[in-house]
Amino acid sequence: MKYPQRIVCLTEETTEALYALGAEDRIVGISGFTVRPERARKEKPKVSAFTSAKIGKILDLKPDLVVGFSDMQADIAAELVRHGVAVHIFNQRTVAGILSMIRTLGGMLGLAEQTDAYAQTLSDRVERIRAERARPNRPRVYFEEWGDPMITGIGWVSELIGIAGGEDIFPERAAEPGAKERIIENPEDVIQRQPDIIIGSWCGRKFRPEQVAERPGWVEIPAVRNGHLYEIKSPLILQPGPAALTDGLDALCGIMDRV
């Protein structure tokens, strides 16, 4: 059986996973937002943003597989399919989903054995941290994915907050896949839930804790009153792949330890 040898990754997490598996030689194109691993930006042509792509450039690379993420890339996928390109769009939204994505990707490339071992290592690490940090008194956390409008964290972020020893104040919103459903229309909702910690990860933009602290009435929030406002860079936590389960989770643990 011939497995794909020329792969275009439309998002960063598949690129990072393939580098971790030693299969980077199969990658012929990556997302322009890729920062992990750092060498990928120097070695691979950048052919897409998140919701747009250079279709002609991708076709010139003659990929035998293009991989992407979510309905946000449905239009790119459809256009490539119309040109006869094999496309697989992942839709992982949980820690289990991230691990499944990695295993599926490896299986598609004929790398099931080493991929299973890699995914198991990540899984074991997550479960070890979960067990080590289980505690009755958990700081309440408001995670903000965007500031205007205010968007709270997606599923895997909420789950990782719990694994790190915190409690997401909007778990019901985290279950929603779309950003629109996670918009906090009334800032009073955050005040009422009294988070001990506020974490910002404004996708592609620097988090401004001083701006957050100055929101009307937010001085009543314990996190603001006690100065517990922190940033986690979006490549570490907002890409549903290896980064979130490693450096992203570690960053969350470090923040929990400050409270």
Side-chain angles (χ1 to χ4, degrees), residues 128-187:
R128 173 179 55 78
I129 292 172
R130 188 199 304 272
E132 288 174 353
R133 303 186 67 83
R135 52 182 173 177
N137 299 318
R138 304 164 71 85
R140 294 170 57 75
V141 180
Y142 169 55
F143 186 98
E144 190 168 277
E145 192 176 301
W146 193 247
D148 186 19
M150 292 163 48
I151 301 176
T152 191
I154 199 166
W156 69 84
V157 173
S158 177
E159 194 175 350
L160 289 171
I161 287 170
I163 292 167
E167 179 184 346
D168 178 16
I169 65 168
F170 289 111
E172 75 283 2
R173 299 292 187 108
E176 299 289 348
K180 289 182 179 179
E181 292 75 29
R182 290 183 282 110
I183 291 175
I184 307 299
E185 295 179 351
N186 186 357

Short mmCIF file of all heavy atoms in Angstrom, two decimals, residues 128-187:
data_model
loop_
_atom_site.label_atom_id
_atom_site.label_comp_id
_atom_site.label_asym_id
_atom_site.label_seq_id
_atom_site.Cartn_x
_atom_site.Cartn_y
_atom_site.Cartn_z
N ARG A 128 -0.84 11.92 34.41
CA ARG A 128 0.02 12.10 35.58
C ARG A 128 -0.20 13.48 36.19
O ARG A 128 -0.33 13.62 37.42
CB ARG A 128 1.49 11.92 35.18
CG ARG A 128 2.47 12.25 36.31
CD ARG A 128 3.91 12.04 35.89
NE ARG A 128 4.28 12.77 34.69
CZ ARG A 128 4.56 14.08 34.65
NH1 ARG A 128 4.48 14.80 35.76
NH2 ARG A 128 4.91 14.66 33.53
N ILE A 129 -0.27 14.49 35.34
CA ILE A 129 -0.48 15.85 35.84
C ILE A 129 -1.86 15.97 36.47
O ILE A 129 -2.03 16.59 37.52
CB ILE A 129 -0.31 16.87 34.70
CG1 ILE A 129 1.16 16.92 34.28
CG2 ILE A 129 -0.80 18.26 35.11
CD1 ILE A 129 1.44 17.74 33.04
N ARG A 130 -2.87 15.35 35.86
CA ARG A 130 -4.22 15.38 36.42
C ARG A 130 -4.23 14.80 37.83
O ARG A 130 -4.82 15.37 38.76
CB ARG A 130 -5.18 14.59 35.53
CG ARG A 130 -6.65 14.73 35.93
CD ARG A 130 -7.50 13.60 35.35
NE ARG A 130 -7.40 13.49 33.91
CZ ARG A 130 -8.18 14.14 33.05
NH1 ARG A 130 -9.11 14.97 33.51
NH2 ARG A 130 -8.04 13.97 31.75
N ALA A 131 -3.56 13.66 38.01
CA ALA A 131 -3.53 13.01 39.32
C ALA A 131 -2.75 13.83 40.34
O ALA A 131 -3.17 13.98 41.50
CB ALA A 131 -2.92 11.62 39.19
N GLU A 132 -1.63 14.39 39.90
CA GLU A 132 -0.79 15.17 40.82
C GLU A 132 -1.48 16.44 41.30
O GLU A 132 -1.24 16.90 42.42
CB GLU A 132 0.52 15.54 40.12
CG GLU A 132 1.47 14.39 39.91
CD GLU A 132 2.70 14.77 39.10
OE1 GLU A 132 2.73 15.92 38.58
OE2 GLU A 132 3.61 13.93 38.98
N ARG A 133 -2.34 17.00 40.46
CA ARG A 133 -2.91 18.30 40.76
C ARG A 133 -4.37 18.24 41.20
O ARG A 133 -5.03 19.28 41.34
CB ARG A 133 -2.75 19.24 39.56
CG ARG A 133 -1.27 19.38 39.16
CD ARG A 133 -1.09 20.40 38.07
NE ARG A 133 -1.38 21.75 38.54
CZ ARG A 133 -0.52 22.52 39.19
NH1 ARG A 133 0.70 22.07 39.49
NH2 ARG A 133 -0.85 23.73 39.57
N ALA A 134 -4.86 17.05 41.46
CA ALA A 134 -6.22 16.90 41.97
C ALA A 134 -6.28 17.48 43.38
O ALA A 134 -5.46 17.12 44.24
CB ALA A 134 -6.62 15.43 41.98
N ARG A 135 -7.22 18.39 43.62
CA ARG A 135 -7.32 19.02 44.93
C ARG A 135 -8.74 19.55 45.13
O ARG A 135 -9.44 19.86 44.17
CB ARG A 135 -6.31 20.16 45.07
CG ARG A 135 -6.34 21.18 43.93
CD ARG A 135 -5.27 22.23 44.11
NE ARG A 135 -5.18 23.14 42.97
CZ ARG A 135 -4.36 24.18 42.91
NH1 ARG A 135 -3.57 24.44 43.92
NH2 ARG A 135 -4.32 24.95 41.85
N PRO A 136 -9.16 19.67 46.39
CA PRO A 136 -10.54 20.11 46.66
C PRO A 136 -10.75 21.60 46.42
O PRO A 136 -11.79 22.01 45.93
CB PRO A 136 -10.74 19.76 48.14
CG PRO A 136 -9.36 19.73 48.72
CD PRO A 136 -8.47 19.25 47.62
N ASN A 137 -9.78 22.43 46.76
CA ASN A 137 -9.92 23.88 46.61
C ASN A 137 -9.28 24.32 45.30
O ASN A 137 -8.06 24.49 45.22
CB ASN A 137 -9.27 24.59 47.80
CG ASN A 137 -9.93 24.21 49.12
OD1 ASN A 137 -11.14 24.11 49.19
ND2 ASN A 137 -9.12 23.96 50.14
N ARG A 138 -10.11 24.49 44.31
CA ARG A 138 -9.62 24.79 42.97
C ARG A 138 -9.91 26.25 42.62
O ARG A 138 -11.05 26.71 42.74
CB ARG A 138 -10.30 23.87 41.95
CG ARG A 138 -10.11 22.40 42.27
CD ARG A 138 -11.08 21.51 41.51
NE ARG A 138 -10.77 21.43 40.11
CZ ARG A 138 -9.90 20.57 39.58
NH1 ARG A 138 -9.25 19.73 40.37
NH2 ARG A 138 -9.67 20.55 38.29
N PRO A 139 -8.90 27.00 42.19
CA PRO A 139 -9.15 28.39 41.80
C PRO A 139 -10.09 28.46 40.58
O PRO A 139 -9.99 27.65 39.67
CB PRO A 139 -7.76 28.92 41.45
CG PRO A 139 -6.93 27.71 41.17
CD PRO A 139 -7.49 26.62 42.04
N ARG A 140 -10.98 29.42 40.64
CA ARG A 140 -11.94 29.63 39.55
C ARG A 140 -11.27 30.47 38.46
O ARG A 140 -10.66 31.50 38.75
CB ARG A 140 -13.20 30.30 40.08
CG ARG A 140 -13.97 29.39 41.04
CD ARG A 140 -15.07 30.12 41.77
NE ARG A 140 -16.03 30.75 40.86
CZ ARG A 140 -16.97 30.08 40.19
NH1 ARG A 140 -17.07 28.75 40.34
NH2 ARG A 140 -17.81 30.70 39.39
N VAL A 141 -11.40 30.01 37.22
CA VAL A 141 -10.64 30.61 36.12
C VAL A 141 -11.57 31.12 35.02
O VAL A 141 -12.45 30.40 34.54
CB VAL A 141 -9.65 29.58 35.51
CG1 VAL A 141 -8.87 30.21 34.37
CG2 VAL A 141 -8.72 29.04 36.58
N TYR A 142 -11.35 32.37 34.63
CA TYR A 142 -11.98 32.91 33.42
C TYR A 142 -10.92 32.97 32.34
O TYR A 142 -9.93 33.68 32.47
CB TYR A 142 -12.57 34.30 33.67
CG TYR A 142 -12.99 35.01 32.39
CD1 TYR A 142 -13.88 34.39 31.50
CD2 TYR A 142 -12.50 36.27 32.07
CE1 TYR A 142 -14.26 35.02 30.33
CE2 TYR A 142 -12.88 36.92 30.90
CZ TYR A 142 -13.76 36.28 30.03
OH TYR A 142 -14.13 36.91 28.87
N PHE A 143 -11.11 32.20 31.28
CA PHE A 143 -10.18 32.18 30.15
C PHE A 143 -10.79 32.97 29.01
O PHE A 143 -11.91 32.68 28.58
CB PHE A 143 -9.90 30.73 29.71
CG PHE A 143 -8.84 30.63 28.64
CD1 PHE A 143 -7.53 30.31 28.99
CD2 PHE A 143 -9.15 30.84 27.31
CE1 PHE A 143 -6.54 30.22 28.01
CE2 PHE A 143 -8.17 30.75 26.32
CZ PHE A 143 -6.86 30.44 26.68
N GLU A 144 -10.06 33.96 28.53
CA GLU A 144 -10.58 34.82 27.45
C GLU A 144 -9.79 34.62 26.17
O GLU A 144 -8.61 34.91 26.09
CB GLU A 144 -10.53 36.29 27.89
CG GLU A 144 -11.26 37.21 26.94
CD GLU A 144 -11.45 38.59 27.51
OE1 GLU A 144 -12.41 38.80 28.29
OE2 GLU A 144 -10.62 39.48 27.20
N GLU A 145 -10.50 34.12 25.17
CA GLU A 145 -9.89 33.83 23.87
C GLU A 145 -9.82 35.07 22.98
O GLU A 145 -9.01 35.14 22.06
CB GLU A 145 -10.72 32.72 23.20
CG GLU A 145 -10.13 32.08 21.99
CD GLU A 145 -10.98 30.95 21.50
OE1 GLU A 145 -11.22 29.99 22.26
OE2 GLU A 145 -11.44 31.01 20.34
N TRP A 146 -10.70 36.01 23.25
CA TRP A 146 -10.71 37.28 22.50
C TRP A 146 -11.36 38.33 23.38
O TRP A 146 -12.21 38.00 24.22
CB TRP A 146 -11.46 37.13 21.19
CG TRP A 146 -11.27 38.28 20.24
CD1 TRP A 146 -12.22 39.18 19.83
CD2 TRP A 146 -10.06 38.65 19.57
NE1 TRP A 146 -11.67 40.09 18.96
CE2 TRP A 146 -10.34 39.80 18.78
CE3 TRP A 146 -8.76 38.15 19.58
CZ2 TRP A 146 -9.37 40.44 18.02
CZ3 TRP A 146 -7.80 38.79 18.80
CH2 TRP A 146 -8.10 39.91 18.03
N GLY A 147 -10.94 39.59 23.21
CA GLY A 147 -11.40 40.63 24.11
C GLY A 147 -12.57 41.48 23.62
O GLY A 147 -13.30 42.05 24.43
N ASP A 148 -12.75 41.58 22.31
CA ASP A 148 -13.82 42.43 21.78
C ASP A 148 -14.36 41.83 20.49
O ASP A 148 -13.79 42.04 19.42
CB ASP A 148 -13.28 43.84 21.53
CG ASP A 148 -14.37 44.80 21.10
OD1 ASP A 148 -15.55 44.51 21.35
OD2 ASP A 148 -14.03 45.85 20.51
N PRO A 149 -15.45 41.04 20.55
CA PRO A 149 -16.22 40.74 21.75
C PRO A 149 -15.49 39.76 22.67
O PRO A 149 -14.56 39.08 22.23
CB PRO A 149 -17.49 40.11 21.19
CG PRO A 149 -17.02 39.43 19.93
CD PRO A 149 -15.98 40.34 19.36
N MET A 150 -15.94 39.69 23.90
CA MET A 150 -15.36 38.77 24.86
C MET A 150 -15.77 37.34 24.50
O MET A 150 -16.95 37.04 24.40
CB MET A 150 -15.84 39.10 26.27
CG MET A 150 -15.32 40.42 26.81
SD MET A 150 -16.27 41.02 28.24
CE MET A 150 -16.33 39.54 29.24
N ILE A 151 -14.77 36.50 24.27
CA ILE A 151 -15.04 35.10 23.93
C ILE A 151 -14.30 34.22 24.93
O ILE A 151 -13.09 34.35 25.11
CB ILE A 151 -14.57 34.76 22.50
CG1 ILE A 151 -15.30 35.66 21.48
CG2 ILE A 151 -14.82 33.29 22.18
CD1 ILE A 151 -14.82 35.47 20.05
N THR A 152 -15.03 33.33 25.57
CA THR A 152 -14.42 32.44 26.56
C THR A 152 -13.87 31.18 25.90
O THR A 152 -14.11 30.92 24.72
CB THR A 152 -15.43 32.09 27.67
OG1 THR A 152 -14.75 31.45 28.74
CG2 THR A 152 -16.54 31.19 27.15
N GLY A 153 -13.11 30.40 26.65
CA GLY A 153 -12.31 29.31 26.10
C GLY A 153 -13.09 28.15 25.51
O GLY A 153 -14.18 27.80 25.96
N ILE A 154 -12.48 27.51 24.51
CA ILE A 154 -13.06 26.35 23.82
C ILE A 154 -12.83 25.08 24.64
O ILE A 154 -12.13 25.09 25.66
CB ILE A 154 -12.44 26.24 22.41
CG1 ILE A 154 -13.30 25.37 21.49
CG2 ILE A 154 -10.99 25.77 22.49
CD1 ILE A 154 -12.93 25.50 20.02
N GLY A 155 -13.41 23.99 24.20
CA GLY A 155 -13.48 22.74 24.96
C GLY A 155 -12.18 22.24 25.54
O GLY A 155 -12.09 21.96 26.74
N TRP A 156 -11.15 22.07 24.70
CA TRP A 156 -9.91 21.50 25.23
C TRP A 156 -9.24 22.44 26.23
O TRP A 156 -8.59 21.98 27.15
CB TRP A 156 -8.95 21.12 24.10
CG TRP A 156 -8.36 22.26 23.34
CD1 TRP A 156 -7.26 23.00 23.66
CD2 TRP A 156 -8.84 22.80 22.10
NE1 TRP A 156 -7.02 23.96 22.71
CE2 TRP A 156 -7.98 23.86 21.75
CE3 TRP A 156 -9.91 22.47 21.26
CZ2 TRP A 156 -8.15 24.61 20.58
CZ3 TRP A 156 -10.08 23.22 20.10
CH2 TRP A 156 -9.23 24.27 19.77
N VAL A 157 -9.43 23.75 26.06
CA VAL A 157 -8.85 24.71 27.01
C VAL A 157 -9.51 24.55 28.37
O VAL A 157 -8.84 24.48 29.40
CB VAL A 157 -9.01 26.16 26.50
CG1 VAL A 157 -8.57 27.15 27.57
CG2 VAL A 157 -8.22 26.36 25.22
N SER A 158 -10.84 24.46 28.38
CA SER A 158 -11.58 24.26 29.62
C SER A 158 -11.13 22.98 30.31
O SER A 158 -10.93 22.94 31.53
CB SER A 158 -13.07 24.22 29.33
OG SER A 158 -13.82 23.97 30.49
N GLU A 159 -10.98 21.94 29.52
CA GLU A 159 -10.57 20.64 30.07
C GLU A 159 -9.16 20.71 30.66
O GLU A 159 -8.90 20.19 31.76
CB GLU A 159 -10.63 19.59 28.97
CG GLU A 159 -10.56 18.17 29.45
CD GLU A 159 -10.76 17.16 28.33
OE1 GLU A 159 -11.15 17.56 27.21
OE2 GLU A 159 -10.51 15.97 28.59
N LEU A 160 -8.25 21.40 29.97
CA LEU A 160 -6.88 21.52 30.46
C LEU A 160 -6.80 22.36 31.72
O LEU A 160 -5.97 22.11 32.60
CB LEU A 160 -5.98 22.10 29.37
CG LEU A 160 -5.69 21.16 28.19
CD1 LEU A 160 -4.97 21.90 27.08
CD2 LEU A 160 -4.87 19.96 28.64
N ILE A 161 -7.68 23.35 31.85
CA ILE A 161 -7.75 24.14 33.09
C ILE A 161 -8.06 23.21 34.26
O ILE A 161 -7.45 23.30 35.33
CB ILE A 161 -8.81 25.25 32.97
CG1 ILE A 161 -8.30 26.37 32.04
CG2 ILE A 161 -9.16 25.83 34.35
CD1 ILE A 161 -9.35 27.39 31.67
N GLY A 162 -9.00 22.29 34.05
CA GLY A 162 -9.34 21.33 35.09
C GLY A 162 -8.20 20.38 35.41
O GLY A 162 -7.93 20.09 36.58
N ILE A 163 -7.50 19.93 34.39
CA ILE A 163 -6.37 19.03 34.59
C ILE A 163 -5.26 19.73 35.37
O ILE A 163 -4.59 19.13 36.21
CB ILE A 163 -5.85 18.53 33.23
CG1 ILE A 163 -6.90 17.60 32.58
CG2 ILE A 163 -4.51 17.81 33.37
CD1 ILE A 163 -6.64 17.30 31.12
N ALA A 164 -5.10 21.03 35.12
CA ALA A 164 -4.05 21.80 35.79
C ALA A 164 -4.41 22.17 37.23
O ALA A 164 -3.59 22.72 37.96
CB ALA A 164 -3.75 23.07 35.00
N GLY A 165 -5.65 21.87 37.63
CA GLY A 165 -6.05 22.13 39.01
C GLY A 165 -6.97 23.30 39.20
O GLY A 165 -7.22 23.73 40.33
N GLY A 166 -7.52 23.84 38.11
CA GLY A 166 -8.45 24.96 38.20
C GLY A 166 -9.87 24.55 37.85
O GLY A 166 -10.15 23.38 37.58
N GLU A 167 -10.74 25.54 37.84
CA GLU A 167 -12.15 25.31 37.50
C GLU A 167 -12.60 26.40 36.54
O GLU A 167 -12.62 27.59 36.89
CB GLU A 167 -13.02 25.33 38.76
CG GLU A 167 -14.49 25.12 38.49
CD GLU A 167 -15.33 25.23 39.75
OE1 GLU A 167 -14.76 25.21 40.86
OE2 GLU A 167 -16.56 25.38 39.62
N ASP A 168 -12.93 26.02 35.33
CA ASP A 168 -13.42 26.97 34.32
C ASP A 168 -14.78 27.51 34.77
O ASP A 168 -15.67 26.75 35.13
CB ASP A 168 -13.56 26.24 32.98
CG ASP A 168 -14.10 27.12 31.87
OD1 ASP A 168 -14.10 28.36 32.02
OD2 ASP A 168 -14.52 26.56 30.84
N ILE A 169 -14.94 28.84 34.74
CA ILE A 169 -16.22 29.41 35.22
C ILE A 169 -17.31 29.35 34.16
O ILE A 169 -18.47 29.59 34.47
CB ILE A 169 -16.05 30.86 35.71
CG1 ILE A 169 -15.66 31.80 34.56
CG2 ILE A 169 -15.06 30.94 36.86
CD1 ILE A 169 -15.77 33.28 34.91
N PHE A 170 -16.96 29.01 32.92
CA PHE A 170 -17.97 28.89 31.87
C PHE A 170 -17.90 27.52 31.18
O PHE A 170 -17.75 27.44 29.96
CB PHE A 170 -17.79 30.00 30.82
CG PHE A 170 -18.17 31.38 31.29
CD1 PHE A 170 -17.20 32.35 31.47
CD2 PHE A 170 -19.50 31.70 31.53
CE1 PHE A 170 -17.54 33.63 31.90
CE2 PHE A 170 -19.85 32.97 31.97
CZ PHE A 170 -18.87 33.94 32.15
N PRO A 171 -18.03 26.43 31.95
CA PRO A 171 -17.92 25.11 31.32
C PRO A 171 -19.01 24.85 30.30
O PRO A 171 -18.79 24.11 29.33
CB PRO A 171 -18.02 24.15 32.51
CG PRO A 171 -18.78 24.92 33.54
CD PRO A 171 -18.33 26.34 33.38
N GLU A 172 -20.18 25.44 30.50
CA GLU A 172 -21.28 25.23 29.55
C GLU A 172 -21.00 25.89 28.21
O GLU A 172 -21.42 25.40 27.16
CB GLU A 172 -22.61 25.74 30.14
CG GLU A 172 -22.79 27.26 30.17
CD GLU A 172 -22.02 27.95 31.29
OE1 GLU A 172 -21.29 27.29 32.05
OE2 GLU A 172 -22.16 29.20 31.39
N ARG A 173 -20.26 27.00 28.22
CA ARG A 173 -19.88 27.66 26.96
C ARG A 173 -18.79 26.86 26.26
O ARG A 173 -18.75 26.80 25.03
CB ARG A 173 -19.38 29.08 27.24
CG ARG A 173 -20.38 30.02 27.89
CD ARG A 173 -21.53 30.38 26.98
NE ARG A 173 -22.37 31.40 27.58
CZ ARG A 173 -22.42 32.66 27.19
NH1 ARG A 173 -21.67 33.06 26.18
NH2 ARG A 173 -23.22 33.52 27.78
N ALA A 174 -17.89 26.28 27.03
CA ALA A 174 -16.77 25.53 26.44
C ALA A 174 -17.24 24.36 25.59
O ALA A 174 -16.55 23.93 24.67
CB ALA A 174 -15.84 25.03 27.54
N ALA A 175 -18.42 23.86 25.90
CA ALA A 175 -18.96 22.73 25.14
C ALA A 175 -19.41 23.13 23.74
O ALA A 175 -19.64 22.28 22.88
CB ALA A 175 -20.14 22.12 25.90
N GLU A 176 -19.51 24.44 23.50
CA GLU A 176 -19.94 24.94 22.19
C GLU A 176 -18.75 24.99 21.23
O GLU A 176 -17.72 25.57 21.56
CB GLU A 176 -20.56 26.33 22.32
CG GLU A 176 -21.80 26.39 23.21
CD GLU A 176 -23.01 25.73 22.58
OE1 GLU A 176 -22.95 25.42 21.37
OE2 GLU A 176 -23.99 25.50 23.29
N PRO A 177 -18.87 24.41 20.04
CA PRO A 177 -17.74 24.40 19.11
C PRO A 177 -17.44 25.74 18.47
O PRO A 177 -16.29 26.05 18.16
CB PRO A 177 -18.16 23.37 18.05
CG PRO A 177 -19.65 23.38 18.09
CD PRO A 177 -20.02 23.63 19.52
N GLY A 178 -18.48 26.56 18.26
CA GLY A 178 -18.29 27.82 17.56
C GLY A 178 -17.99 28.97 18.47
O GLY A 178 -18.46 29.04 19.61
N ALA A 179 -17.19 29.93 17.98
CA ALA A 179 -16.84 31.11 18.78
C ALA A 179 -18.07 31.96 19.08
O ALA A 179 -18.17 32.55 20.16
CB ALA A 179 -15.79 31.94 18.04
N LYS A 180 -19.02 32.04 18.15
CA LYS A 180 -20.20 32.87 18.36
C LYS A 180 -20.97 32.43 19.60
O LYS A 180 -21.52 33.25 20.33
CB LYS A 180 -21.11 32.82 17.13
CG LYS A 180 -20.55 33.56 15.93
CD LYS A 180 -21.52 33.51 14.76
CE LYS A 180 -20.98 34.26 13.56
NZ LYS A 180 -21.91 34.20 12.39
N GLU A 181 -21.01 31.12 19.83
CA GLU A 181 -21.75 30.58 20.98
C GLU A 181 -20.98 30.79 22.28
O GLU A 181 -21.53 30.60 23.36
CB GLU A 181 -22.04 29.09 20.79
CG GLU A 181 -23.03 28.77 19.67
CD GLU A 181 -22.44 28.91 18.28
OE1 GLU A 181 -21.21 28.71 18.12
OE2 GLU A 181 -23.21 29.24 17.35
N ARG A 182 -19.73 31.17 22.19
CA ARG A 182 -18.91 31.38 23.38
C ARG A 182 -18.70 32.87 23.70
O ARG A 182 -17.90 33.21 24.55
CB ARG A 182 -17.57 30.65 23.23
CG ARG A 182 -17.74 29.13 23.28
CD ARG A 182 -16.42 28.38 23.19
NE ARG A 182 -15.90 28.32 21.83
CZ ARG A 182 -14.83 28.97 21.40
NH1 ARG A 182 -14.15 29.74 22.23
NH2 ARG A 182 -14.43 28.87 20.15
N ILE A 183 -19.42 33.73 23.00
CA ILE A 183 -19.33 35.16 23.27
C ILE A 183 -20.04 35.48 24.59
O ILE A 183 -21.17 35.05 24.83
CB ILE A 183 -19.97 35.98 22.13
CG1 ILE A 183 -19.13 35.88 20.86
CG2 ILE A 183 -20.13 37.46 22.54
CD1 ILE A 183 -19.74 36.55 19.64
N ILE A 184 -19.35 36.22 25.46
CA ILE A 184 -19.95 36.69 26.71
C ILE A 184 -20.51 38.08 26.43
O ILE A 184 -19.78 39.08 26.41
CB ILE A 184 -18.89 36.74 27.84
CG1 ILE A 184 -18.16 35.40 27.98
CG2 ILE A 184 -19.55 37.15 29.16
CD1 ILE A 184 -19.05 34.24 28.31
N GLU A 185 -21.79 38.14 26.18
CA GLU A 185 -22.41 39.41 25.78
C GLU A 185 -22.52 40.39 26.95
O GLU A 185 -22.48 41.61 26.74
CB GLU A 185 -23.78 39.14 25.17
CG GLU A 185 -23.70 38.34 23.88
CD GLU A 185 -25.06 38.04 23.28
OE1 GLU A 185 -26.07 38.31 23.97
OE2 GLU A 185 -25.11 37.55 22.13
N ASN A 186 -22.66 39.88 28.15
CA ASN A 186 -22.81 40.73 29.31
C ASN A 186 -21.61 40.55 30.25
O ASN A 186 -21.48 39.52 30.90
CB ASN A 186 -24.10 40.40 30.06
CG ASN A 186 -24.38 41.36 31.20
OD1 ASN A 186 -23.56 42.25 31.49
ND2 ASN A 186 -25.51 41.19 31.87
N PRO A 187 -20.72 41.54 30.33
CA PRO A 187 -19.55 41.42 31.21
C PRO A 187 -19.91 41.16 32.67
O PRO A 187 -19.09 40.65 33.43
CB PRO A 187 -18.86 42.79 31.06
CG PRO A 187 -19.31 43.30 29.73
CD PRO A 187 -20.72 42.82 29.59
#
